[in-house]
Amino acid sequence: MSKRRVVLLPGDGIGPEVVEAARRVVEATGLPVEWVPMEIGAIAYEKYGDTLPADVLQEIRRCGVALKGPTTTPSGTGHTSANVRMRKELGLFANVRPVKSVPGLETPYGQTDLVIVRENTEDLYAGLENEIAPGVITSIKVITEVASRRIAKFAFEYAVRWNRKRVTAVHKANIMKKADGLFLECARQESLPYEGRVKFDDILVDALAMKLVTKPSQFDMLLLENLYGDIVSDLAAGLIGGLGLAPGANYGPECAVFEAIHGSAPDIAGKGIANPIAMILSAAMMCHHLGDVESYTRIRKSVRTITTADHELLTPDLGGKGTSRTLADAIVREVERRRREGDD
Ligand code: NAI
């Protein structure tokens, strides 16, 4: 296999430690990758006055693939989100977040095996906010037919490719009859060619929240607008043991950017205790995207072996005493062993 160039974006906060762990795991698989490290987020802002410098976007376009850590976006004031900009500028319209129970980690919610497909480019993330009178702000929710059809079609195609049985569109079309009504109608129409192969239904987002924490196994794939997708995927990560376990990927027609669901976790940044598993599983998704299904499977199996092997090894968010480094070391060793000996 020829060497693939991949842009490596450590981000800030816990980003550098989890991205480094993921990079080492990919190296352990033997997949020939030439990393192109670049800076984004708070670090880039301090240095260049821009959280997402133009040359980073250009390099991602050139390579087609990036492995990305989280970046901090201040609440209320300060710079706008590098993530939102990156997704828009690179046309990364589909955010895929598989949320699957991890063997060895018991939770009160039972088995979860969900795939969340989130529209990534519009909705309230359009950033159209105005103070129309003192003390009165409007924030515009943008839902278009083109983007809604595109994400729905993506979800059904994904379902067929990954042998999933059902797509549930999530909305609040009883209140936002036009915006969410359009999203729902587009999903319904796009489901028609898949009849008999993929079941389609829908649910109000508030009812979904209740049903997810009651019995997550009743859902298969969820199709959501941008904001609901953001909120529901953090909730879903909580069902399997937390944000340290849930990977993700952003896909567009030209590029794909792989990143965990979680943010920069300022409360634990610099302590060396961030859980690298979500980022490592995101890197596994990247291997699959690059055509290396063997490494994808090997990384996932290695993570499962380690989470069932020794609880002490796990990071504190999972009740263990490990560090990002020691947990990553154990996963790297397991990937190397499996590669050396061949998987069973
Ligand atoms: P967060 O995901 O960073 O943290 C929420 C909670 O989960 C914290 O208690 C944190 O310690 C914990 N956590 C997250 N990832 C973890 C990991 N790998 N291991 C162990 N514990 C973990 O969300 P928060 O605090 O709302 O946001 C912090 C910053 O991150 C904000 O500036 C936000 O804008 C940014 N953010 C960036 C994202 C991205 O770059 N894709 C995504 C989400 C948030």
Side-chain angles (χ1 to χ4, degrees), residues 14 68 70-73 83 243 259 262-268 275:
I14 61 169
K68 173 188 169 296
T71 59
T72 304
T73 311
N83 304 314
L243 284 164
E259 62 175 337
H262 64 72
S264 57
D267 52 338
I268 55 166
N275 186 345

Side-chain angles (χ1 to χ4, degrees), residues 329-344:
D329 285 347
I331 297 170
V332 164
R333 278 196 301 273
E334 181 59 18
V335 169
E336 286 170 345
R337 185 193 70 74
R338 285 178 171 273
R339 188 175 159 212
R340 206 169 45 243
E341 297 175 9
D343 298 298
D344 343 303

Side-chain angles (χ1 to χ4, degrees), residues 144-165:
T144 65
E145 181 178 347
V146 169
S148 302
R149 280 187 178 274
R150 183 177 59 177
I151 193 67
K153 186 173 170 43
F154 177 95
F156 288 107
E157 282 297 313
Y158 183 100
V160 170
R161 197 159 4 107
W162 289 85
N163 203 23
R164 310 291 301 206
K165 300 295 173 222

Side-chain angles (χ1 to χ4, degrees), residues 52-228:
L52 186 60
D55 57 334
V56 174
L57 288 171
Q58 199 181 4
E59 198 57 44
I60 299 174
R61 283 197 190 95
R62 203 175 288 146
C63 296
V65 182
L67 186 63
K68 173 188 169 296
T71 59
T72 304
T73 311
S75 293
T77 54
H79 61 76
T80 54
S81 165
N83 304 314
V84 173
R85 248 178 79 206
M86 178 181 288
R87 292 166 192 165
K88 273 193 200 155
E89 298 218 15
L90 295 175
L92 300 167
F93 69 90
N95 187 195
V96 176
R97 298 176 154 183
V99 182
K100 193 167 167 28
S101 297
V102 179
L105 299 174
E106 294 294 317
T107 73
Y109 307 102
Q111 283 304 303
T112 302
D113 182 3
L114 278 173
V115 175
I116 293 172
V117 176
R118 166 187 175 193
E119 203 289 322
N120 229 0
T121 61
E122 52 182 32
D123 194 1
L124 282 158
Y125 285 66
L128 301 171
E129 293 196 309
N130 288 299
E131 184 169 16
I132 54 168
V136 184
I137 307 291
T138 59
S139 190
I140 296 175
K141 170 164 174 155
V142 178
I143 299 292
T144 65
E145 181 178 347
V146 169
S148 302
R149 280 187 178 274
R150 183 177 59 177
I151 193 67
K153 186 173 170 43
F154 177 95
F156 288 107
E157 282 297 313
Y158 183 100
V160 170
R161 197 159 4 107
W162 289 85
N163 203 23
R164 310 291 301 206
K165 300 295 173 222
R166 181 168 144 235
V167 172
T168 303
V170 181
H171 59 90
K172 191 77 183 162
N174 54 338
I175 305 298
M176 278 159 282
K177 293 180 193 294
K178 293 203 169 176
D180 286 20
L182 176 61
F183 185 81
L184 175 59
E185 186 49 30
C186 289
R188 203 172 271 145
Q189 286 179 19
E190 291 298 326
S191 75
L192 297 177
Y194 300 88
E195 246 175 8
R197 290 183 290 166
V198 184
K199 263 187 77 182
F200 172 70
D201 59 4
D202 68 279
I203 189 168
L204 294 172
V205 65
D206 42 347
L208 172 80
M210 183 277 291
K211 290 194 175 189
L212 268 182
V213 295
T214 313
K215 194 179 170 207
S217 62
Q218 64 191 298
F219 296 103
D220 186 355
M221 282 182 66
L222 301 175
L223 168 63
L224 308 97
E225 294 166 9
N226 207 342
L227 181 62
Y228 303 149

Side-chain angles (χ1 to χ4, degrees), residues 236-253:
L239 299 174
I240 61 164
L243 284 164
L245 297 170
N250 304 284
Y251 299 103

Side-chain angles (χ1 to χ4, degrees), residues 265-340:
D267 52 338
I268 55 166
K271 296 184 180 166
I273 54 166
N275 186 345
I277 289 179
M279 198 63 225
I280 289 171
L281 293 175
S282 306
M285 292 171 78
M286 184 190 82
C287 293
H288 195 285
H289 179 77
L290 292 173
D292 186 356
V293 180
E294 195 178 27
S295 294
Y296 162 78
T297 310
R298 191 164 283 158
I299 294 173
R300 287 162 48 92
K301 281 185 180 172
S302 299
V303 168
R304 287 204 287 268
T305 303
I306 297 306
T307 54
T308 41
D310 178 2
H311 266 249
E312 298 268 293
L313 260 179
L314 304 176
T315 40
D317 56 310
L318 301 178
K321 294 191 176 137
T323 64
S324 317
R325 176 85 204 179
T326 53
L327 179 52
D329 285 347
I331 297 170
V332 164
R333 278 196 301 273
E334 181 59 18
V335 169
E336 286 170 345
R337 185 193 70 74
R338 285 178 171 273
R339 188 175 159 212
R340 206 169 45 243

